[in-house]
Amino acid sequence: FYGVMFGDKYWAAMEVTSHDNPEDLGLKVAEIPGGTYVCKKIKNWDQNSLAVDIPRIFKEITNGCNIDRTRPFVEFYRSHQELILQAP
């Protein structure tokens, strides 16, 4: 699952597979832009209540970086044990 933040908007998202029909459910389809992202892997994020620290962690990993404001910030919830934060 993904959390995608662009400006003041936030979307919950998931990868579409060949068996999915999101349009039939009235869901919008979009693509997360590729390119270089600054990443931070967080282990056991759900057990340590680290989800509330996501804004602080994004600020920490982007300190001193040139952020591409034309692309979104991405939370990739790989599992209950692993969260990957990606800043453009």
Side-chain angles (χ1 to χ4, degrees):
F1 295 96
Y2 297 86
V4 181
M5 296 158 289
F6 191 74
D8 62 347
K9 303 228 185 241
Y10 183 91
W11 295 274
M14 61 185 296
E15 184 176 355
V16 177
T17 68
S18 61
H19 303 332
D20 294 327
N21 294 306
E23 294 89 356
D24 292 349
L25 299 171
L27 301 174
K28 293 182 181 180
V29 176
E31 187 172 318
I32 298 172
T36 302
Y37 286 81
V38 176
C39 300
K40 170 86 174 186
K41 187 183 295 187
I42 301 171
K43 299 281 188 178
N44 301 315
W45 66 271
D46 66 335
Q47 296 174 6
N48 297 318
S49 300
L50 290 175
V52 297
D53 288 335
I54 289 174
R56 178 189 59 76
I57 296 168
F58 268 126
K59 187 174 181 177
E60 181 182 290
I61 67 173
T62 58
N63 188 23
C65 296
N66 291 325
I67 300 303
D68 180 354
R69 300 285 178 194
T70 66
R71 295 186 295 144
F73 285 72
V74 179
E75 304 164 356
F76 174 34
Y77 293 87
R78 188 170 183 161
S79 68
H80 286 286
Q81 286 77 43
E82 189 172 277
L83 165 63
I84 301 172
L85 300 179
Q86 301 172 297

